[in-house]
Amino acid sequence: MSWFESLILGLVQGLTEFLPISSSAHLRLTAAFAGWKDPGAAFTAITQIGTEIAVLIYFRKDIARIISAWSRSLVNKAMRSDHDAQMGWLVIVGSIPIGVLGVTLKDQIEGPFRDLRITATTLIVMGIILGVADRLAARDESGGRHRAAVERKTLKDLSVKDGLIYGFCQAMALVPGVSRSGATISGGLLMGYTREAAARYSFLLAVPAVLASGVFELKDASEGGHVSWGPTIFATVIAFVVGYVVIAWFMKFISTKSFMPFVYYRILLGILIIVLVSTGALSPHAAESSG
């Protein structure tokens, strides 16, 4: 991998990680359209560490408060009813599905799941699901001529059951094209949570999963020696800087705006890929490499 490739892929990772459009799909597609080798699952996992560090910094007060309350609740029974302490447990519970499936499906994630036909399908299907979830949220928020507005749930209403559902939604993002934030936010909206609550828990839930995945890939990469370390680290730094800016913008955006622009984009991109693959202009395995 060249330094120019790492620059572009780092920018793509930072720009797309927190938007509901799938960063893994865009890294794969960027390489395919540019005629580069597939950056691979290891590159994706390692550069995601950069974007998750951006989450740690942006939500540092929330994370510090949750860790502090959760730690104290281990020895202080009175603290166990504290919302922040409960959030600590809910993040742990919500991380179980992706941890189990990530290890179980590792070979599929690095192989068959990277087929562009699968990526196109998941872009479209999850786009439709996100659109339906967004419309339901908008209807509840605005009400209508014959119905009153419905108050949606906040993170204080989060239960173990909902946390597990969020977790399984996050695990779907193991398939390129699904989008971690897209799947978890859609799940949250369909369960009746506000846009802000769904996005905030989505970001918090991603931290342990992505950091664990990155460390796991770092270990494998260091033993296998199949990663270009200089360009990969450079891309990770770029992803961190760009990712932080995107988080700040996205959290403001969702407070007043609809997710429909992302829905239209996902569907159009998925259709474009299907057309290109169907006409032979793009191979479903374009840019794939053994790494």
Side-chain angles (χ1 to χ4, degrees):
M1 177 182 293
S2 70
W3 290 96
F4 177 71
E5 288 178 44
S6 67
L7 170 64
I8 299 302
L9 293 174
L11 287 170
V12 171
Q13 169 65 29
L15 285 169
T16 59
E17 172 67 13
F18 304 113
L19 304 181
I21 56 176
S22 179
S23 62
S24 58
H26 279 75
L27 288 172
R28 176 85 169 79
L29 291 170
T30 299
F33 288 140
W36 301 336
K37 289 184 178 181
D38 182 358
F43 176 88
T44 301
I46 293 170
T47 54
Q48 281 179 336
I49 293 177
T51 47
E52 288 313 304
I53 291 175
V55 172
L56 290 173
I57 294 175
Y58 187 85
F59 292 106
R60 61 190 180 278
K61 293 181 180 178
D62 293 35
I63 293 172
R65 196 175 61 247
I66 289 170
I67 292 176
S68 174
W70 177 81
S71 300
R72 284 181 287 152
S73 72
L74 295 177
V75 294
N76 185 349
K77 290 185 178 181
M79 285 293 300
R80 294 174 188 175
S81 60
D82 182 85
H83 171 65
D84 289 324
Q86 293 174 349
M87 276 297 297
W89 286 112
L90 289 168
V91 169
I92 292 172
V93 167
S95 300
I96 294 173
I98 197 170
V100 173
L101 293 176
V103 174
T104 305
L105 302 176
K106 186 177 187 298
D107 291 339
Q108 287 74 22
I109 294 167
E110 297 180 349
F113 285 177
R114 299 183 76 77
D115 188 305
L116 289 179
R117 289 166 294 192
I118 294 178
T119 299
T121 302
T122 53
L123 279 169
I124 294 171
V125 172
M126 282 305 304
I128 294 172
I129 293 173
L130 177 61
V132 171
D134 185 72
R135 290 300 189 191
L136 291 174
R139 186 188 66 179
D140 286 350
E141 292 166 358
S142 62
R145 180 180 297 181
H146 303 294
R147 63 191 301 275
V150 177
E151 185 176 352
R152 301 208 121 217
K153 294 189 285 187
T154 68
L155 288 185
K156 290 186 177 180
D157 301 306
L158 191 63
S159 64
V160 172
K161 174 187 171 183
D162 288 356
L164 278 173
I165 294 174
Y166 264 112
F168 278 107
C169 290
Q170 177 178 240
M172 292 170 60
L174 292 169
V175 181
V178 171
S179 168
R180 186 188 311 277
S181 64
T184 50
I185 289 173
S186 295
L189 294 178
L190 290 173
M191 287 189 287
Y193 288 88
T194 65
R195 289 185 175 90
E196 193 275 338
R200 186 172 290 269
Y201 184 62
S202 171
F203 289 156
L204 294 175
L205 190 60
V207 172
V210 172
L211 290 181
S213 173
V215 170
F216 186 75
E217 291 292 352
L218 275 172
K219 177 179 176 293
D220 278 5
S222 61
E223 293 175 353
H226 56 268
V227 171
S228 301
W229 284 109
T232 299
I233 293 172
F234 178 58
T236 302
V237 173
I238 296 296
F240 158 71
V241 175
V242 177
Y244 186 88
V245 175
V246 171
I247 294 174
W249 172 82
F250 188 62
M251 292 305 294
K252 292 179 181 178
F253 176 87
I254 61 172
S255 62
T256 57
K257 305 294 183 181
S258 166
F259 286 116
M260 292 310 295
F262 303 112
V263 172
Y264 299 139
Y265 173 77
R266 290 181 63 105
I267 293 174
L268 290 174
L269 180 59
I271 292 173
L272 174 62
I273 296 169
I274 290 174
V275 170
L276 291 175
V277 171
S278 299
T279 58
L282 185 66
S283 166
H285 306 291
E288 283 190 358
S289 66
S290 60

